[in-house]
Amino acid sequence: MPVAAQVLRHATERPHQLALCGPGGSLTYAQLWERVSTRRLGDKGLVAISLADPVEQLVTVLAADLAGATPLLCEADQFARVTAAVPVSLHVESALPEAPDPAPSPCEGPDDLAWACLTSGSTGRPRAVVRTRHSWTGSFPYLSELAGIGPDDVVLVPGPLVSSLYGFAAVHALAAGATAIVPGRWSPGTLTVQLRRASVVHLVPHRLPAVLAVVEEVGGPLRTAVVGGAALPDRSRAMAAKAGVRVVSYYGATEMSFVAVDADGSGLRPFPQVEIEVRRGEVWARSPWMAKGYLAGAAGPLTTDAEGWTSVGDLAEPYRPGEVLRLRGRGDGAIQTGGATVVPEDVEAVLRDVRGVTDLVVIGSPHPQLGSVVTAVVEGSPSRSALETAAREGLDPAQRPRRWYAMGALPRTPTGKPARALVAARLADDDPAISRLV
């Protein structure tokens, strides 16, 4: 069912329920439907949306959904780069004009190419992924059940909606009839006010400690944190348990949507209707939630075989059905050093628990004899001796970083993940913001 049709149902049944709260104001479901149903696109192709206000972004996304068009959210400064090779039918840079004629009936085709999202992975190079309506919205009821999200919830979505993680979270909240708080970006200054109302939050792992610190300090109704985008450290789940917040973490990708979920801390297991295999160390999955592919035939890690199994090159330990899926990291980031293959996430998982580490990335730096050497770029204020001790105790010799650097703030992708390739490029360019860790 189109999300616009579900918004219409909520507007009919609960017209005064708050639907959206953004930096510029709020809309009830009745007001949201009125805005959506009176906006006209005039086109049913790919609609690139680069509006600044997150509420207006969602109004336009729903108007596109209502009209049977394919919305693609992108930042204004991304438009030329992202869509250079993409056949965009319409570029929306300002609020859509109102139309006096009645709204069209919501398009019902589950196989319509109804959603497009950006993915950048750890490289920072965005690609546009297109998917059918059902591949996105069909998973909504399962997420609602796993996270316990319903119409009485207030869902905080504290990041840019151009990110598929946050965009999905906001649209899911509207489909569920909940209230979505959409600041449009991470905003520490308003986090306390937001968490006084929010019962659910969607976020990436490195943001969870800040949320939990506010909950411990001021309290609030927050009961569930839905966390995706990267591996969740054990200490973060322990902090959440102490604060009385249940964590639902998941593994997936923009191209594959949900693959596995950990709803109780016991480990990742297949998301509903997902089959998983690990072939030669790579994760393959088959489910109704897979994307169709990249727009305009762009290159990317998505691979599909003749039987519908899909992979983006992520690595995992050997897996059998019924077991916990143990991820190792992205295959395209592996470091070849002296004949050994090192997965950066294996190293990061050990070093991230060192006191004073806020976050870090592990990359390969060129070496004339070894090909590459393992290099750690650390955000935070840990001591090098503590890092080296952790490396000796928890890592094999080939995995231990040979070079250590510090950075005040790691650059990040729109989803909040460290932009690994950008860090590597800055290090190679002798960026003064990166210094030797002594």
Side-chain angles (χ1 to χ4, degrees):
M1 177 187 293
V3 177
Q6 297 181 62
V7 169
L8 171 58
R9 177 167 58 84
H10 302 319
T12 302
E13 296 175 354
R14 308 176 77 184
H16 303 298
Q17 164 86 10
L18 273 180
L20 289 171
C21 300
S26 301
L27 294 176
T28 65
Y29 271 97
Q31 292 168 332
L32 175 59
W33 173 250
E34 181 182 8
R35 293 274 294 277
V36 169
S37 63
T38 58
R39 265 54 178 180
R40 294 292 183 272
L41 293 170
D43 200 291
K44 291 192 175 183
L46 179 67
V47 178
I49 302 165
S50 54
L51 299 165
D53 180 70
V55 170
E56 201 60 48
Q57 286 177 341
L58 288 166
V59 168
T60 308
V61 163
L62 292 171
D65 185 45
L66 180 64
T70 306
L72 170 64
L73 286 173
C74 62
E75 304 289 355
D77 58 0
Q78 288 179 311
F79 177 75
R81 182 164 54 93
V82 172
T83 63
V86 174
V88 173
S89 299
L90 180 65
H91 183 202
V92 180
E93 301 177 271
S94 57
L96 294 171
E98 294 186 24
D101 51 306
S105 299
C107 180
E108 296 289 347
D111 295 326
D112 291 342
L113 297 180
W115 302 98
C117 312
L118 292 178
T119 178
S120 58
S122 59
T123 66
R125 296 189 299 270
R127 293 177 290 271
V129 178
V130 66
R131 57 175 57 254
T132 66
R133 175 176 286 108
H134 180 72
S135 73
W136 226 37
T137 61
S139 66
F140 284 0
Y142 298 107
L143 177 61
S144 295
E145 182 176 355
L146 286 164
I149 299 174
D152 294 328
D153 279 304
V154 176
V155 181
L156 174 59
V157 184
L161 302 184
V162 64
S163 156
S164 60
L165 184 153
Y166 293 117
F168 181 96
V171 174
H172 170 264
L174 294 175
T179 299
I181 301 177
V182 286
R185 61 183 178 85
W186 177 255
S187 179
T190 59
L191 194 58
T192 298
V193 174
Q194 293 162 354
L195 288 172
R196 290 189 188 278
R197 302 175 57 197
S199 54
V200 179
V201 62
H202 288 258
L203 71 177
V204 291
H206 79 279
R207 298 296 192 196
L208 182 57
V211 166
L212 296 175
V214 172
V215 172
E216 288 186 342
E217 180 180 354
V218 303
L222 188 70
R223 70 168 194 282
T224 303
V226 183
V227 183
L232 178 69
D234 291 340
R235 63 180 178 182
S236 294
R237 192 177 285 276
M239 289 172 59
K242 182 179 178 182
V245 176
R246 175 178 173 239
V247 173
V248 177
S249 63
Y250 63 89
Y251 154 64
T254 302
E255 298 92 335
M256 301 169 74
S257 193
F258 295 105
V259 175
V261 63
D262 182 354
D264 57 10
S266 64
L268 290 168
R269 300 182 187 277
F271 190 83
Q273 297 197 39
V274 176
E275 301 172 85
I276 295 175
E277 290 184 354
V278 175
R279 306 175 184 175
R280 297 180 294 279
E282 281 192 351
V283 180
W284 288 75
R286 184 166 62 180
S287 81
W289 321 133
M290 302 297 172
K292 296 290 287 186
Y294 302 111
L295 285 170
L302 181 66
T303 302
T304 302
D305 70 11
E307 297 180 344
W309 290 86
T310 298
S311 178
V312 291
D314 290 351
L315 306 180
E317 301 294 336
Y319 169 82
R320 289 183 297 183
E323 295 180 343
V324 170
L325 178 67
R326 292 179 290 274
L327 296 168
R328 297 185 63 202
R330 288 299 291 257
D332 56 5
I335 301 166
Q336 304 298 323
T337 176
T341 300
V342 175
V343 177
E345 287 87 348
D346 290 350
V347 182
E348 293 165 357
V350 171
L351 300 181
R352 196 171 276 119
D353 286 333
V354 174
R355 182 182 296 276
V357 173
T358 304
D359 208 344
L360 80 157
V361 294
V362 170
I363 58 177
S365 295
H367 190 276
Q369 284 80 44
L370 300 176
S372 295
V373 292
V374 180
T375 300
V377 182
V378 183
E379 178 185 279
S381 55
S383 69
R384 176 163 172 170
S385 62
L387 288 164
E388 290 177 332
T389 297
R392 284 194 302 271
E393 293 178 351
L395 297 170
D396 293 335
Q399 295 176 304
R400 298 169 191 166
R402 300 264 190 115
R403 298 173 183 168
W404 300 89
Y405 293 89
M407 196 171 188
L410 294 170
R412 298 185 180 275
T413 68
T415 62
K417 294 185 290 186
R420 192 187 308 279
L422 185 54
V423 173
R426 290 187 180 181
L427 182 61
D429 291 339
D430 295 322
D431 189 328
I434 305 176
S435 59
R436 288 274 185 177
L437 186 62
V438 297

